[in-house]
Amino acid sequence: MRVAIVGSGPSGFYAAGHLLKARPDAEVDVFERLATPWGLVRGGVAPDHPKIKSVARVFEKTAADPRLRFFGNVEVGADVAHDELCAWYDAVVYAVGTPVGRRAGLPGGELPGAHTATEFVGWYNGHPDHRDLEIDLLSAQRAVVIGHGNVAVDVARMLCLTRAELAATDIADHALEVLATAPVREIVLVGRRGPEQAAFTTPELLELGELADADVVVDEAELDVAAAVREQDLDATARRNLDILARYAQRRPQGRRKRIVLRFCASPVQLLGHDRVRAIRLARNQLVRDAGGAVRARPTAETGDVPAGLVLEAIGYAGTPVAGVPFEAGRGLIPNDGAGRVVGDDGRPVAGAYVAGWVKRGPSGVIGTNKKCAQQTVDALLGDVETGALAVRGACPSGEEVEGRLRDRVGALVTYRDWQAIDAHERALGVAAGGRPRVKLTRREDLLAFAGRG
Ligand code: NAP
């Protein structure tokens, strides 16, 4: 049985691992647009969270299986078509993630100084798509981050780390110096709903209170704003978060160099400025319950302007379409039956096409959540083999044949051994730089120079 997995992030590699374990006769080829594997683990997880990144070791074990091939620098939908993959493989699993940061579409959102958190995260993580982002961190004393999710918390924390803290991470070299010397002194995290509805998780909230160089500031009055719609049975995370926020509200600022201010029940209305962002207008929100009982933010006429030279929107992600594969533009996802079978416009499964991870269920959950999600997809695929809905042809081109075809198309095919050469090189640079975990190569051409070197 030969299966193509498109995307080498957590969901792709969890799917590969589960499939190889479940079917001794399975062979998996993993296609990756970039020259490097591991998706968000390399390009999204905050540099100061090495423990989260250590999941790459699980994926390395999967990649060591001789039944797996890695084809890096191959873009499905451009270098190779969906129909071709369907002809070459028994099944194709799309695990392409949701690479685009959502925008609220605010007036003034196009001004210099306004970015998605996705771009900023990609920039400091050395993602080749974002490494040349024109971001001015030298003009902003205050940054406003829109959203109360873990990405918002990540970017706020990264803006507060000291040079020594940054230097201990694998942050891209080009970002290290800029962040270490940035004049930002205050980061305001703006959530449209109340503290109970905040999407950040407890360990991440606690981390904000433990920063060496920043005080965390919460206005006690804002914590009560949601009392009118308070649920009787708050879930455990909301209860713990409320406790922590209440403690933060009692804290006296310690005179640290920076401050992180958490604001609730406020929505962005407009970015202000001519040549660049100078301020953001926020509307105070009321919280109301909708007919289904969900707590919603309703803007009031009360607005206020917060001066800021940098505005980062951290309000979630969306997928991008792959040519030839169904796509639901509104949600930015590949439509599926909930178990991982891709469905077409007629609502019927597309033979041989499956989907896993964020582009299947939306950008939510921690990395481990993708394990269950990917297993569910692979189980659906194997179930289809059992019922005969998916035929194992036994006549697919071999891995070598596919590799030959790809080499003819893309100038520089990056194999897993080539990636291992990149990995060793980056780690060696890290040692030479005084014991950093690695110094990342961030330019496509520098990475592609390793094609064939493995
Ligand atoms: P998220 O958890 O969905 O948070 C998005 C935030 O944006 C929410 O506070 C949401 O508010 C707000 N928002 C959405 N649309 C908005 C709008 N139009 N105006 C104002 N605010 C708006 O998304 P995320 O932070 O991008 O994280 C994605 C996933 O990755 C999450 O599951 C997260 O836990 C995970 N992650 C984990 C870690 C970690 O484990 N350390 C780190 C980073 C990310 P509402 O709730 O009101 O919609």
Side-chain angles (χ1 to χ4, degrees):
M1 177 183 202
R2 292 198 32 84
V3 175
I5 293 181
V6 184
S8 66
S11 54
F13 259 92
Y14 279 132
H18 191 54
L19 189 58
L20 291 171
K21 204 167 155 195
R23 288 274 303 214
D25 68 332
E27 290 180 0
V28 172
D29 291 350
V30 178
F31 290 74
E32 169 58 55
R33 180 174 72 86
L34 299 179
T36 55
W38 318 149
L40 272 186
V41 172
R42 179 175 167 100
V45 172
D48 64 332
H49 278 171
K51 245 188 173 164
I52 299 181
K53 285 173 191 260
S54 66
V55 69
R57 278 186 227 129
V58 174
F59 306 147
E60 282 166 1
K61 275 197 190 137
T62 301
D65 190 313
R67 294 176 292 150
L68 184 141
R69 270 169 206 260
F70 175 76
F71 297 137
N73 191 37
V74 182
E75 185 171 354
V76 172
D79 299 315
V80 52
H82 166 71
D83 286 349
E84 286 178 300
L85 288 188
C86 292
W88 296 354
Y89 294 91
D90 294 311
V92 187
V93 179
Y94 285 93
V96 291
T98 50
V100 179
R102 281 198 184 277
R103 300 212 80 155
L106 300 171
E110 71 294 339
L111 285 169
H115 301 276
T116 60
T118 311
E119 293 168 338
F120 181 53
V121 169
W123 172 76
Y124 63 58
N125 273 328
H127 191 297
D129 289 356
H130 301 294
R131 60 103 48 229
D132 290 321
L133 178 73
E134 286 186 23
I135 183 161
D136 175 4
L137 288 169
L138 300 177
S139 307
Q141 300 232 334
R142 183 182 289 113
V144 169
V145 184
I146 312 292
H148 270 177
N150 281 334
V151 170
V153 172
D154 275 353
V155 300
R157 206 177 58 250
M158 288 302 293
L159 284 166
C160 289
L161 296 186
T162 63
R163 178 191 297 275
E165 287 169 327
L166 291 167
T169 73
D170 67 357
I171 187 172
D173 263 3
H174 59 250
L176 201 166
E177 195 51 35
V178 178
L179 281 177
T181 53
V184 174
R185 290 291 173 270
E186 184 171 294
I187 299 101
V188 185
L189 291 179
V190 179
R192 62 179 167 183
R193 298 191 290 162
E196 290 91 334
Q197 292 83 34
F200 40 66
T201 43
T202 306
E204 280 64 31
L205 180 59
L206 279 171
E207 237 180 324
L208 287 186
E210 289 159 6
L211 290 169
D213 213 15
D215 285 317
V216 60
V217 179
V218 175
D219 179 354
E220 200 174 6
E222 285 210 345
L223 295 183
D224 271 339
V225 82
V229 288
R230 187 150 292 159
E231 337 226 339
Q232 295 299 314
D233 304 311
L234 284 182
D235 71 28
T237 299
R239 246 183 295 121
R240 279 196 298 260
N241 284 357
L242 265 182
D243 282 350
I244 296 162
L245 289 164
R247 269 188 274 143
Y248 287 169
Q250 297 304 319
R251 275 195 192 181
R252 291 233 177 115
Q254 301 293 300
R256 297 191 175 108
R257 227 163 41 104
K258 303 190 180 188
R259 299 162 27 112
I260 293 181
V261 182
L262 287 150
R263 290 202 47 192
F264 299 92
C265 293
S267 278
V269 177
Q270 185 180 359
L271 304 190
L272 306 166
H274 294 296
D275 50 337
R276 54 167 298 108
V277 170
R278 304 274 173 193
I280 180 166
R281 180 158 299 157
L282 300 175
R284 174 134 300 283
N285 292 335
Q286 258 179 351
L287 294 181
V288 291
R289 278 193 189 278
D290 68 12
V295 175
R296 303 236 175 254
R298 183 192 287 158
T300 66
E302 187 187 333
T303 62
D305 296 347
V306 180
L310 179 69
V311 173
L312 299 169
E313 290 184 64
I315 61 170
Y317 301 82
T320 48
V322 177
V325 181
F327 188 70
E328 212 182 303
R331 295 200 303 154
L333 304 179
I334 296 179
N336 64 90
D337 68 349
R341 296 177 186 87
V342 175
V343 296
D345 289 343
D346 55 2
R348 293 157 63 114
V350 176
Y354 298 84
V355 60
W358 277 10
V359 75
K360 166 186 170 189
R361 61 173 210 284
S364 67
V366 292
I367 286 176
T369 316
N370 292 297
K371 184 173 183 180
K372 252 192 166 167
C373 176
Q375 287 183 350
Q376 183 195 39
T377 297
V378 169
D379 289 344
L381 186 159
L382 295 176
D384 288 348
V385 173
E386 243 167 64
T387 62
L390 180 69
V392 175
R393 288 168 282 177
C396 295
S398 68
E400 288 97 83
E401 278 174 75
V402 173
E403 189 168 325
R405 291 177 196 182
L406 295 175
R407 282 191 190 284
D408 289 342
R409 294 186 192 192
V410 297
L413 183 72
V414 178
T415 64
Y416 192 70
R417 280 181 180 276
D418 296 335
W419 154 246
Q420 287 177 310
I422 295 171
D423 189 32
H425 178 72
E426 288 185 341
R427 287 178 193 276
L429 290 177
V431 171
R436 298 187 58 200
R438 68 174 66 234
V439 172
K440 283 182 181 173
L441 301 185
T442 60
R443 290 201 183 280
R444 198 166 167 264
E445 56 271 25
D446 293 341
L447 289 159
L448 292 186
F450 281 79
R453 280 210 220 164

